[in-house]
Amino acid sequence: MVFPMVLLRLADLVLYQLLANSCYRAARKMKSYGYHLGYLSSKPPHQPSTFPSITKCDLEGGGSQTLICDIHRVLLRSHSFFPYFMLVAFEGGSIFRALLLLLSCPLLWILNHELKLRVMTFITFCGLRIKDMESISRAVLPKFYLENLNLQAYEVLASAGSKVVFTCVPRLMVEGFLKEYLSVGAVIGTELHTVGCYFSGLLSGSGLLVKHRALKDYFGERKPDIGIGSSSVHDHLFISLCKEAYVVNDNEEGKSSTSSVMPRDKYPKPLIFHDGRLAFLPTPSATLFMFMWLPIGILLAIYRILLGIFLPYEWAMPLGVWSGIDLCVKGCSPEKSEPNKGVLYVCTHRTLLDPVFLSTCLAKPLTAVTYSLSKVSEFISPIRTVRLTRDRRKDGDTMQRLLREGDLVVCPEGTTCREPYLLRFSSLFAELADEIVPVAMNAHVSMFYGTTASGLKCLDPIFFFMNPRPSYHIQILEKVPKELTCAGGRSSCEVANYIQKQLADALGFECTTLTRRDKYMMLAGNEGIVQEEKWRKCY
């Protein structure tokens, strides 16, 4: 009798909740608002606020106070948490999981708040490895959270001494960011069920977190000093349990309001490293456009790569620009003062294509030295590439030999950086040449990043060229004066630091002392060194 009863309960859930109840809700929505493809906003029922605006909160003397709030529609300006589920599905799962989540949008639109969260959670997390989710929460999500951070709400949060965040979304999606960047002491959220090292896609036995109940369980009879919520009924009940309560009104957190936008220079912690392929916030409409563009983007990437491989420089550049590549070049190639020795071009490192674009713009062959480059990238490269070993003496001998054979390109940062920062320069190149030409390179993309720390690096050039209009800005600076090189009595570290500062000033970037190892330890949990015999597994 147990099995038939389970089937009857399942049938009741499907017929009532997913069909009858959802259709009724859809009809009510269409009657009130009209049918449209919206942002899949997770707005709960709304009512005029009886609490003062967050702008009325006094920021003085809050160091001893306890503050509670939610992250969505309070700390974040965005109304919807769909884009963050999509980021996890795409970056941690696969493109097929992301497509399934996108196809569920019509169903999500008609479901109530709880069922919507359960469906998105199941599609996003079912079969996902716990390790992958931890990587996404550390390396991908913080960038998008910071870009959507509400400045007014953050200033109130930062003024409090003790901070506790309650949220109905899975705790693992927000806890890393809240503790690392916003110094939140405790994060109470929905817990996920796991099987071994994988998520089942279901919620734990406690189910979807109810904020006002969780607040009572956490604080007991004690009342928090300050509560911040949205203008929804649920949040009113939640923050009414605090001594003081404030709301972030919709008209204050809207996209048109510039006062709530967090500028980069006010980030609680500098955003230097981040990972992932998506360069945009994947709202339903933006994700739909991406999938519509993919077939065209793949063909366009193949076309652009073939241009560089088979056509001469004078043809490849105009045809590449015609295909949509935005190329801006300033400066010109310097003349050699030593006929039997090549010029050493020292570049900032934005993508694997830096030496390729420089060679194309100079219309002459260059040799590029690399570290961990995939076999696929070496095969499709239109210029010569030589691998280094990270043995200083051997690498120095190799680069000296290459300079005797012709011009050489080196990226002393050792790895790419997407943000407006320059990593610490290795000083080895300064010991090898007196003719050094700094080259400031910067790349911009709108859809896919052409770099990765934990993904398939062999796809980096393909993803970059899949962008509708990728851009490269190249500025060739003046040759470094001889008196500022090692031949003029300067140490190699002084030369490297001088060139780093020159390139940073040309790009408007900030110099850092961070290294390749720092980047990979943060984003991938390793030092970024790939063993030769294991390149197939790693790339």
Side-chain angles (χ1 to χ4, degrees):
M1 289 296 294
V2 175
F3 183 69
M5 290 300 297
V6 171
L7 289 180
L8 287 174
R9 291 180 62 86
L10 181 61
D12 175 71
L13 174 65
V14 172
L15 291 176
Y16 176 71
Q17 293 283 7
L18 298 185
L19 294 180
N21 194 26
S22 297
C23 289
Y24 170 74
R25 291 177 180 275
R28 289 291 299 272
K29 288 185 178 182
M30 292 174 67
K31 180 180 179 181
S32 302
Y33 307 111
Y35 185 84
H36 64 280
L37 180 59
Y39 190 55
L40 281 186
S41 173
S42 58
K43 295 180 183 178
H46 175 89
Q47 71 176 23
S49 176
T50 58
F51 298 102
S53 168
I54 192 175
T55 57
K56 306 297 183 181
C57 183
D58 185 8
L59 303 182
E60 298 295 331
S64 60
Q65 294 181 320
T66 299
L67 181 145
I68 61 98
C69 66
D70 197 347
I71 180 171
H72 291 284
R73 303 190 66 223
V74 177
L75 294 178
L76 298 182
R77 292 179 291 113
S78 169
H79 282 176
S80 173
F81 37 65
F82 175 89
Y84 307 104
F85 278 93
M86 177 58 72
L87 285 167
V88 176
F90 186 92
E91 306 288 3
S94 67
I95 193 171
F96 302 106
R97 186 187 294 266
L99 178 60
L100 181 60
L101 183 59
L102 177 65
L103 294 176
S104 71
C105 283
L107 175 63
L108 296 176
W109 185 77
I110 62 176
L111 293 178
N112 62 30
H113 177 73
E114 179 178 351
L115 283 176
K116 184 186 302 183
L117 266 176
R118 287 179 178 272
V119 171
M120 284 196 292
T121 300
F122 181 79
I123 296 175
T124 303
F125 287 95
C126 182
L128 188 70
R129 293 193 304 175
I130 298 176
K131 181 180 179 181
D132 291 336
M133 181 59 230
E134 292 173 349
S135 176
I136 299 303
S137 66
R138 179 180 65 250
V140 177
L141 292 175
K143 164 188 162 58
F144 296 94
Y145 286 144
L146 283 173
E147 291 177 349
N148 263 292
L149 203 59
N150 187 312
L151 176 59
Q152 297 169 344
Y154 166 71
E155 289 176 343
V156 176
L157 180 79
S159 67
S162 177
K163 313 170 186 70
V164 182
V165 172
F166 295 84
T167 180
C168 57
V169 302
R171 176 182 53 82
L172 289 173
M173 289 181 62
V174 298
E175 184 176 39
F177 167 73
L178 291 171
K179 290 188 174 182
E180 179 70 20
Y181 286 85
L182 304 188
S183 301
V184 173
V187 180
I188 315 299
T190 298
E191 299 294 338
L192 300 177
H193 180 260
T194 59
V195 179
C197 58
Y198 292 89
F199 293 105
S200 67
L202 304 176
L203 306 184
S204 66
S206 56
L208 197 69
L209 181 128
V210 180
K211 290 187 290 186
H212 68 276
R213 294 178 187 170
L215 188 149
K216 290 181 179 179
D217 292 339
Y218 186 83
F219 286 97
E221 297 299 323
R222 183 167 60 95
K223 282 190 174 184
D225 297 299
I226 300 175
I228 306 177
S230 66
S231 54
S232 72
V233 176
H234 299 316
D235 273 16
H236 284 193
L237 178 61
F238 171 56
I239 62 178
S240 66
L241 301 175
C242 304
K243 296 177 182 177
E244 298 180 33
Y246 302 91
V247 295
V248 178
N249 294 318
D250 290 340
N251 59 348
E252 292 174 353
E253 63 175 347
K255 295 180 181 179
S256 61
S257 175
T258 57
S259 62
S260 64
V261 176
M262 172 75 76
R264 175 179 284 272
D265 59 359
K266 290 191 176 182
Y267 280 1
K269 184 178 179 181
L271 177 67
I272 300 177
F273 299 130
H274 63 88
D275 205 9
R277 289 296 189 187
L278 295 182
F280 63 96
L281 186 67
T283 62
S285 57
T287 308
L288 176 61
F289 294 148
M290 180 198 72
F291 277 102
M292 294 172 62
W293 172 257
L294 273 179
I296 303 173
I298 293 173
L299 294 176
L300 194 58
I302 295 173
Y303 167 77
R304 289 166 172 171
I305 290 173
L306 293 179
L307 287 181
I309 295 177
F310 294 108
L311 294 185
Y313 299 116
E314 58 270 17
W315 290 7
M317 181 180 291
L319 288 175
V321 172
W322 176 81
S323 73
I325 298 176
D326 179 20
L327 192 59
C328 179
V329 184
K330 296 181 181 179
C332 57
S333 178
E335 296 183 359
K336 294 182 180 181
S337 57
E338 299 183 28
N340 297 325
K341 197 168 185 181
V343 175
L344 180 63
Y345 293 94
V346 178
C347 301
T348 54
H349 203 6
R350 310 310 284 176
T351 77
L352 292 176
L353 298 166
D354 297 332
V356 176
F357 275 96
L358 179 60
S359 176
T360 303
C361 294
L362 296 176
K364 64 178 181 180
L366 301 174
T367 301
V369 290
T370 65
Y371 288 108
S372 301
L373 189 68
S374 71
K375 295 292 186 180
V376 174
S377 298
E378 284 185 325
F379 178 75
I380 66 176
S381 174
I383 65 173
R384 180 187 180 192
T385 60
V386 176
R387 291 197 181 200
L388 299 179
T389 63
R390 297 193 183 277
D391 181 294
R392 192 176 182 86
R393 183 183 61 80
K394 291 182 180 179
D395 291 344
D397 293 341
T398 300
M399 294 170 68
Q400 286 279 22
R401 173 177 57 81
L402 294 173
L403 279 170
R404 290 192 294 268
E405 298 174 0
D407 294 342
L408 183 66
V409 182
V410 61
C411 299
E413 289 176 276
T415 186
T416 57
C417 183
R418 300 172 177 177
E419 298 301 315
Y421 298 93
L422 292 186
L423 307 186
R424 190 180 72 189
F425 278 23
S426 169
S427 61
L428 175 61
F429 74 91
E431 303 172 5
L432 307 177
D434 301 330
E435 291 195 77
I436 303 175
V437 178
V439 181
M441 309 195 75
N442 197 10
H444 297 282
V445 296
S446 58
M447 190 172 289
F448 302 109
Y449 284 114
T451 61
T452 184
S454 55
L456 294 171
K457 296 188 74 67
C458 62
L459 298 179
D460 283 358
I462 298 174
F463 270 104
F464 179 83
F465 283 126
M466 281 173 60
N467 284 284
R469 192 169 175 78
S471 67
Y472 244 99
H473 295 257
I474 303 172
Q475 183 177 354
I476 303 173
L477 306 184
E478 295 292 332
K479 187 186 299 184
V480 178
K482 190 170 184 179
E483 60 270 18
L484 296 178
T485 66
C486 291
R490 301 298 181 102
S491 69
S492 60
C493 290
E494 288 177 323
V495 176
N497 292 339
Y498 169 78
I499 295 177
Q500 182 195 34
K501 184 66 167 57
Q502 291 291 104
L503 292 173
D505 291 343
L507 293 168
F509 287 4
E510 183 178 338
C511 295
T512 73
T513 58
L514 299 172
T515 64
R516 171 193 175 95
R517 182 178 182 276
D518 295 322
K519 170 186 171 179
Y520 278 88
M521 286 300 294
M522 175 184 172
L523 299 183
N526 57 64
E527 297 187 9
I529 300 176
V530 179
Q531 300 298 327
E532 178 73 19
E533 66 272 12
K534 295 183 179 180
W535 72 269
R536 289 183 180 84
K537 180 179 179 180
C538 297
Y539 293 102

